[in-house]
Amino acid sequence: MVDVAVKAGVSPMTVSRVINERPGVGPDTRAAVNAAIKALGYMPNVAARSLVNSVELRIGVIYSNPSAAFMSDFLTGVFEEASTRGARLTLLKGEDGRPPAAAAVKALIASGVRGAILAPPLGESPVVLQPLLKAKLPLAAVGAYNVEGAICVRIDDRRAAYEMTRELIALGHRRLGFILGNPDQAASAERLSGFYAAVREAVGVVTAIAQGDFSFTSGLAAAEQLLDAATPPTAIFASNDDMAAAVVSVAHRRHLDVPGELTVVGFDDTSPAVTVWPPLTTVHQPVRRLAAEALGLLASQIASGEPLGDRSDRVLDHEIVTRLSAARL
């Protein structure tokens, strides 16, 4: 640390503030310290940092999501970030896609965690949020929108869905199906809004909507509904990859060629996008990075001891990943 301080022309205390993401360091100084850290290959000692902070960083991770692939990426991001910060994680899982009981959330709070990170859709679940907010526990919610008192880390779901729908229209598709995600999740409504925004800009586009809940099973039912129509869609946009994979499965059972007779696209870019055949064209949502960013921001808030204020939103980039499940009509 002393070597870093000498190279950056600052005090060791300033280096410590930068490493621990504490306030009171200007952006130019912070950049100089980070450059020195990179140049010298300095690796902070996690055990020493825990001793300096004197209080163990214990964070609760609350999750319940029907997509195993999404949760795998989410938990990987959380675990990797926790290991670099010396944080101890306490996991609380809801069963069958439902939030954990309020009593279980209260027990987590009583266990002494200093903050909590919530996987979607729990960042918008009153059952989970109310006891946490009442306890004034620092919170970070992934994929959530406008949660008072919580750090929200997400992508621009509306923009991402808008761009994907524009891609389908550019391929010549004018009969579009859309499978909605969990109705209790703001991201679902944002994706539907983006879909409709793109449709309104085009001429002669006919749409059909089916309700899902982000699970593979719900995608099967939604695909059957859309494809049973008298004039079925030529392209189906599912709100996550699990449901898109279900659409491909139904298409295969009906002997429909994907993408020759039916284009299918998804959202998230999780493992089903590359394990199904053909691999899915999808929106890449950086789930691991979202989770890691949320944990990092939460740890910084806990370390600073400063109130968050109304809320703090962090929006990360997305991208359209083109594979083999989409084709020109």
Side-chain angles (χ1 to χ4, degrees):
M1 191 180 290
V2 172
D3 291 340
V4 171
V6 170
K7 186 170 183 63
V10 299
S11 69
M13 181 60 71
T14 298
V15 175
S16 176
R17 283 183 175 277
V18 171
I19 291 170
N20 291 289
E21 298 185 5
R22 297 184 187 277
V25 182
D28 292 342
T29 301
R30 193 177 295 275
V33 171
N34 284 325
I37 287 172
K38 184 176 181 180
L40 295 173
Y42 173 68
M43 295 290 290
N45 185 307
V46 172
R49 288 170 68 183
S50 296
L51 289 172
V52 170
N53 291 333
S54 72
V55 179
E56 183 182 44
L57 180 58
R58 291 187 58 214
I59 294 177
V61 182
I62 308 178
Y63 65 100
S64 181
N65 191 295
S67 171
F70 183 98
M71 282 313 309
S72 175
D73 284 354
F74 174 88
L75 290 173
T76 298
V78 168
F79 293 153
E80 288 175 348
E81 185 67 18
S83 68
T84 67
R85 293 177 175 272
R88 177 183 170 190
L89 302 178
T90 301
L91 306 183
L92 175 60
K93 181 178 182 290
E95 297 300 328
D96 301 322
R98 297 190 301 270
V105 178
K106 292 175 182 177
L108 176 70
I109 297 168
S111 73
V113 295
R114 301 181 64 200
I117 180 170
L118 311 176
L122 300 185
E124 294 159 323
S125 167
V127 172
V128 174
L129 284 171
Q130 287 173 1
L132 294 170
L133 293 171
K134 185 176 180 180
K136 295 182 171 24
L137 206 66
L139 301 177
V142 172
Y145 283 73
N146 303 329
V147 179
E148 185 176 357
I151 298 163
C152 295
V153 184
R154 57 181 176 81
I155 65 167
D156 186 339
D157 292 277
R158 185 181 189 278
R159 183 72 192 178
Y162 169 85
E163 291 173 359
M164 178 60 85
T165 308
R166 292 272 296 177
E167 292 281 333
L168 295 176
I169 293 170
L171 289 173
H173 295 280
R174 292 297 182 270
R175 299 201 309 272
L176 303 181
F178 186 87
I179 303 179
L180 192 62
N182 186 332
D184 297 326
Q185 205 168 334
S188 297
E190 290 293 314
R191 293 173 193 180
L192 181 61
S193 176
F195 171 78
Y196 277 136
V199 167
R200 285 194 298 269
E201 294 179 356
V203 176
V205 176
V206 178
T207 63
I209 309 298
Q211 182 66 60
D213 62 10
F214 289 131
S215 68
F216 183 87
T217 301
S218 74
L220 293 174
E224 297 281 8
Q225 176 187 329
L226 293 172
L227 294 174
D228 277 343
T231 308
T234 61
I236 295 177
F237 181 4
S239 290
N240 79 339
D241 293 334
D242 290 67
M243 295 191 299
V247 175
V248 172
S249 176
V250 171
H252 288 335
R253 186 164 51 77
R254 290 176 176 236
H255 305 291
L256 293 173
D257 178 70
V258 178
E261 296 173 280
L262 177 67
T263 279
V264 181
V265 298
F267 202 110
D268 285 341
D269 199 20
T270 49
S271 58
V274 292
T275 54
V276 72
W277 182 261
L280 295 172
T281 291
T282 188
V283 174
H284 175 72
Q285 177 175 208
V287 178
R288 288 190 187 185
R289 195 154 63 87
L290 288 166
E293 183 83 0
L295 185 65
L297 291 171
L298 179 64
S300 297
Q301 185 197 346
I302 293 169
S304 71
E306 297 178 355
L308 178 64
D310 291 338
R311 63 178 183 267
S312 176
D313 284 340
R314 183 67 61 90
V315 181
L316 303 188
D317 292 336
H318 65 271
E319 65 176 307
I320 305 297
V321 179
T322 301
R323 297 195 178 97
L324 301 178
S325 66
R328 183 168 295 280
L329 186 62

